[in-house]
Amino acid sequence: MVETQSVSAETFEAEALPHFDDLYRTAVRVLGDRQTAEDLVQEAYLEAWKSFQRFEPGTNCRAWMFKILFHVIHHHRRKWFRFKFNSEDEAKLEQTLVYEPPIPEQVTDEDMLAALDCVPQNYRDVLLLADVQEFSYKEVADTLNIPLGTVMSRLSRGRAILRSQLTNFQKTPQEEIAKAAPSRVSV
């Protein structure tokens, strides 16, 4: 019996542990707090270990781990927070979806992360899984327990919001020079 437990532990380590960094980075982006993200990733690994006997070898362990992580995050949110979508948020969302300005050519990592933080949470989750982690739409739907059409809709809207936010963070070189230069008064 000791031999089967060690083989199972070795299998778990080989299958699940390589995805730790991806899970942690995604949790930090979703939650916005490193400590909470660390705690929830550890909880996800604990849940994965407890149910590893149900994991089917040869299937996508990465997707399985992300599904567990988002389940843990959802449980955490339900337990501690009560999110309300009010009419002010809805109006703000409509304003961001009206105009799609072009994305500037030079986008820094800081600009991208700041813009991503401005995207509403339900859209950000889909963006992170589909565009950053490169999951298929079906895998995203399974991970977040939402319909495939909702994934496509949230991804489209999330990308539009992100695009809009990126244009807010970017300034043209002429604007930066004008702000940095002292104003000249003609006499």
Side-chain angles (χ1 to χ4, degrees), residues 129-142:
L129 290 174
D131 290 344
V132 177
Q133 297 298 331
E134 299 179 349
F135 282 112
S136 69
Y137 290 179
K138 182 174 180 352
E139 289 171 328
V140 173
D142 290 342

Side-chain angles (χ1 to χ4, degrees), residues 8-157:
S8 179
E10 290 171 3
T11 305
F12 179 77
E13 288 175 6
E15 290 282 340
L17 287 182
H19 309 296
F20 183 85
D21 290 339
D22 290 338
L23 289 166
Y24 176 70
R25 279 192 299 269
T26 301
V28 169
R29 283 282 100 208
V30 167
L31 299 166
D33 178 30
R34 291 179 182 274
Q35 184 64 43
T36 305
E38 187 176 311
D39 292 344
L40 294 184
V41 168
Q42 288 178 4
E43 188 175 332
Y45 269 93
L46 178 62
E47 293 298 320
W49 172 248
K50 288 178 182 177
S51 61
F52 193 65
Q53 74 278 1
R54 290 183 285 174
F55 175 72
E56 297 176 23
T59 60
N60 189 347
C61 184
R62 183 171 177 261
W64 184 69
M65 289 300 301
F66 270 90
K67 183 174 180 101
I68 293 171
L69 175 67
F70 274 89
H71 174 75
V72 168
I73 289 171
H74 177 71
H75 179 73
H76 172 77
R77 285 182 183 152
R78 199 168 20 111
K79 183 178 175 183
W80 295 104
F81 303 106
R82 298 284 180 221
F83 288 101
K84 294 180 181 175
F85 194 76
N86 58 34
S87 60
E88 182 181 304
D89 292 337
E90 191 172 319
K92 192 185 311 182
L93 180 61
E94 287 175 4
Q95 289 173 356
T96 60
L97 294 177
V98 174
Y99 173 68
E100 288 187 25
I103 296 176
E105 291 180 26
Q106 298 293 331
V107 177
T108 66
D109 291 342
E110 292 81 20
D111 291 340
M112 181 60 79
L113 293 174
L116 189 59
D117 286 340
C118 294
V119 175
Q121 190 65 50
N122 55 347
Y123 300 119
R124 188 180 331 149
D125 293 348
V126 174
L127 279 171
L128 287 170
L129 290 174
D131 290 344
V132 177
Q133 297 298 331
E134 299 179 349
F135 282 112
S136 69
Y137 290 179
K138 182 174 180 352
E139 289 171 328
V140 173
D142 290 342
T143 300
L144 297 176
N145 292 323
I146 57 176
L148 188 61
T150 304
V151 169
M152 293 186 286
S153 173
R154 288 182 183 177
L155 188 57
S156 175
R157 289 179 182 160

